[in-house]
Amino acid sequence: MAAPWEDVLRDEAAIREAAAVAVDAALLHGVLMRTEREPNASDVVNYAPFTLLPSAVPSALFEQAYAVQQDFNLLVDAISQNNEFLEHTLASTIKVDDFTAQLFRIHMQVLEEGLAQSVFLGINRSDYMFDCGVDGTPALKQIEINTIAASFGGLTSRTAAVHGQVLKVLGKSKEASRLLPNNPSKGLALGIAKAWELYGSQSAVVMFLVEEVQRNIFDQRCVENELWNRNIRVIRKRFRDVFEKGSLDDAKRLYVDGQEVAVVYYREGYVPKNYDQQNWEARLLLERSRAVKCPDIATQLAGTKKVQQELSRPGTLERLLPGRTEAVARLRATFAGLYSLDMGEEGDKIAATAIADPDRFVLKPQREGGGNNLYGEELRQVLEKIRDSPERTSYILMDKIKPQPAMNYLLRAHTPLQVSECISELGIFGVYVRQGKEMVMNKAAGHLLRTKAIEHADGGVAAGVAVLDTPYLV
Ligand code: ADP
Ligand code: MG
């Protein structure tokens, strides 16, 4: 399944020329990020890291990933409405993981008070790798689903143009013409716009809840601009602003700085370091409000690794999606082996297996954002230490997926050009809107391909490990 440019990979002069074109094209097309030194200013910006060449993706697996996205949307939405399932699934986790416990407390508090929100908007990204079986046939295996702050839908809409130009410079115009157009930010904005419309107040705004440090602002601006193009007003606020200037009226309408908020789109709030006491209070205020939260806290919980593991148990999908036999089969086909480390015989057994053969597994805590998982010797050491303690239940175990590497160049500012052995991860964006019990939108909104050198076991683009890529279907 190699891409048809193996021939040029070692042609140093051609690669140098193409890389110079690529970097300028990235800047021209807006594949941009703020710099590490000045993460909150746009005076000096740089290109977001990306591959010199598109990476080969098996077209059957690409289509499979798109075909299962609406099922994943339905599944996440069903979980978010099934408190019994969430409570039961997360019971052991919240005893030992304070972050999940705090999210869960807010979830329960909002339920007890009664939901003021009646329109629901989900934006997620389901990520996959192509697992290479013993016979060499690749299979689509889900890494995880991100139900909060799934990023790079904006910047990735610009990489195909860059890669198209690179291929032309390298004498591959035919291949360039085969790169697929892709614009997730438009799809995400259509979902946000629908939710805004159903909320039903012309003067209300969409609020992007953003981090204190905003290096990836251009990615968000792509979505913002799509909303402005539809005459929907967008404001950007931090938890701190909500704490200081946010309030609810008698009907639990949310006001921030005097403006009524129809939709809260979180690009923040997914890791413990996003929260201090004030930020938790701000989060609670938002969750109690009538505004459409993307995601609401139940949907955020539906995206935890513990829930993912529980979904792989026989019978769970059938219970969550009754009567949807085909959807269940499509979903299950993408699952890798996932294992609970809950206290008891089942957990004891798998812990022992993983300690004996750590390279078969990945040990995952309930964290997002890359760089948190444990592999190999480190996995063995940590698991050995906690194997008899309830602390182990804050993790899950997953079969390690082993894709076939391919050679590529990873272009990163201030970094020498050198060829690397790489593996890729494909993400599909999903968007859905529900009003009361009725699904009014359920779509796949585009894709994201990220590629990293094989020496890094973990980490995304924001974590400085993976880079943006474009799929070349083979
Ligand atoms: P996060 O929420 O931190 O993004 P992920 O589950 O996506 O957590 O894991 C982070 C990265 O670790 C992935 O992007 C992938 O590169 C690697 N990874 C995760 N799970 C596996 C797996 N089962 N096999 C191989 N690599 C994995
Ligand atoms: Mg991930």
Side-chain angles (χ1 to χ4, degrees):
M1 64 169 221
W5 32 82
E6 302 275 297
D7 54 328
V8 293
L9 275 170
R10 301 278 173 191
D11 181 342
E12 213 179 296
I15 290 292
R16 255 180 215 296
E17 185 194 346
V21 169
V23 167
D24 289 342
L27 291 163
L28 277 171
H29 284 286
V31 186
L32 299 174
M33 248 190 188
R34 284 176 173 170
T35 62
E36 216 171 324
R37 267 183 66 186
E38 287 189 75
N40 281 337
S42 296
D43 302 71
V44 178
V45 297
N46 219 319
Y47 58 94
F50 65 103
T51 56
L52 176 63
L53 292 155
S55 293
V57 167
S59 58
L61 303 192
F62 186 79
E63 280 160 27
Q64 187 189 350
Y66 264 95
V68 72
Q69 187 55 45
Q70 285 168 306
D71 304 324
F72 270 116
N73 291 345
L74 286 178
L75 177 63
V76 170
D77 188 49
I79 298 167
S80 76
Q81 294 174 78
N82 191 331
N83 186 47
E84 209 188 317
F85 173 79
L86 280 176
E87 195 165 2
H88 176 256
T89 300
L90 295 172
S92 58
T93 311
I94 61 181
K95 282 194 199 132
V96 286
D97 187 85
D98 291 343
F99 180 63
T100 313
Q102 183 60 25
L103 292 173
F104 195 78
R105 267 196 291 278
I106 293 180
H107 165 63
M108 289 308 286
Q109 185 172 344
V110 172
L111 277 188
E112 275 156 27
E113 208 178 293
L115 282 186
Q117 180 178 353
S118 61
V119 177
F120 297 82
L121 164 64
I123 291 180
N124 62 56
R125 200 189 66 222
S126 182
D127 291 337
Y128 308 88
M129 280 185 179
F130 314 117
D131 194 29
C132 213
V134 266
D135 62 347
T137 323
L140 186 77
K141 290 295 161 197
Q142 187 183 50
I143 296 288
E144 63 156 346
I145 189 159
N146 303 281
T147 60
I148 180 167
S151 58
F152 293 106
L155 297 190
T156 195
S157 66
R158 287 120 199 272
T159 59
V162 176
H163 284 126
Q165 194 173 343
V166 169
L167 289 182
K168 285 181 195 167
V169 168
L170 293 169
K172 310 264 175 200
S173 332
K174 200 171 93 239
E175 288 81 358
S177 69
R178 290 191 46 211
L179 296 178
L180 300 172
N182 178 37
N183 190 358
S185 50
K186 184 165 179 191
L188 306 195
L190 285 174
I192 297 173
K194 187 68 186 171
W196 175 84
E197 181 195 315
L198 293 174
Y199 178 87
S201 167
Q202 278 290 325
S203 59
V205 302
V206 170
M207 178 169 81
F208 281 39
L209 207 285
V210 297
E211 292 176 276
E212 294 282 340
V213 173
Q214 300 171 36
R215 265 195 85 187
N216 202 16
I217 191 168
F218 299 105
D219 184 55
Q220 300 166 6
R221 292 284 196 210
C222 293
V223 184
E224 277 180 61
N225 289 352
E226 293 282 352
L227 291 166
W228 283 107
N229 289 344
R230 288 167 179 76
N231 287 318
I232 296 172
R233 178 167 282 278
V234 180
I235 59 172
R236 299 174 59 87
K237 300 285 177 195
R238 301 158 304 174
F239 274 130
R240 181 173 11 156
D241 304 310
V242 175
F243 179 81
E244 285 167 5
K245 295 171 189 162
S247 62
L248 306 186
D249 72 4
D250 293 345
K252 291 197 185 152
R253 279 184 285 253
L254 171 67
Y255 288 84
V256 176
D257 213 0
Q259 287 171 297
E260 184 180 357
V261 177
V263 179
V264 181
Y265 174 45
Y266 289 100
R267 292 295 296 252
E268 141 91 321
Y270 51 95
V271 280
K273 76 169 166 39
N274 295 155
Y275 293 93
D276 55 17
Q277 191 50 40
Q278 291 192 352
N279 290 3
W280 279 121
E281 280 179 41
R283 179 76 195 254
L284 177 62
L285 183 88
L286 297 175
E287 293 303 319
R288 291 179 57 233
S289 80
R290 170 182 294 264
V292 183
K293 271 78 65 182
C294 179
D296 67 344
I297 206 149
T299 305
Q300 179 174 357
L301 288 167
T304 51
K305 310 275 190 291
K306 182 62 190 175
V307 165
Q308 181 188 6
Q309 172 258 301
E310 201 58 31
L311 292 176
S312 75
R313 267 189 209 284
T316 305
L317 286 178
E318 286 81 354
R319 271 203 307 284
L320 289 165
L321 297 174
R324 297 186 183 264
T325 318
E326 286 173 11
V328 165
R330 280 191 297 266
L331 290 161
R332 183 161 289 132
T334 68
F335 289 177
L338 288 142
Y339 313 94
S340 164
L341 283 168
D342 282 2
M343 302 313 281
E345 213 179 305
E346 183 193 340
D348 291 345
K349 231 172 121 189
I350 196 67
T353 309
I355 286 167
D357 193 1
D359 286 331
R360 255 184 63 200
F361 299 95
V362 182
L363 183 62
K364 297 189 171 191
Q366 309 302 310
R367 291 292 167 273
E368 304 293 330
N372 304 299
N373 301 333
L374 302 169
Y375 304 81
E377 185 49 28
E378 202 184 354
L379 179 161
R380 198 187 59 74
Q381 280 174 15
V382 169
L383 200 50
E384 192 126 76
K385 212 170 84 202
I386 60 173
R387 72 188 289 177
D388 297 320
S389 136
E391 198 190 331
R392 79 179 195 200
T393 61
S394 65
Y395 294 87
I396 61 149
L397 273 169
M398 182 174 184
D399 280 343
K400 190 164 170 187
I401 295 168
K402 296 177 175 156
Q404 178 73 46
M407 304 308 277
N408 209 329
Y409 291 82
L410 307 183
L411 303 181
R412 223 186 278 281
H414 314 297
T415 307
L417 190 60
Q418 85 187 49
V419 73
S420 308
E421 208 176 349
C422 300
I423 54 174
S424 301
E425 185 170 342
L426 174 70
I428 307 291
F429 286 95
V431 183
Y432 58 90
V433 179
R434 173 167 53 83
Q435 185 171 36
K437 290 276 157 211
E438 193 200 347
M439 253 325 184
V440 293
M441 181 188 283
N442 180 5
K443 286 183 181 169
H447 55 269
L448 166 71
L449 191 71
R450 292 173 299 166
T451 292
K452 65 177 187 186
I454 51 164
E455 53 266 28
H456 298 286
D458 205 312
V461 180
V465 171
V467 308
L468 302 171
D469 198 347
T470 300
Y472 180 81
L473 300 189
V474 292

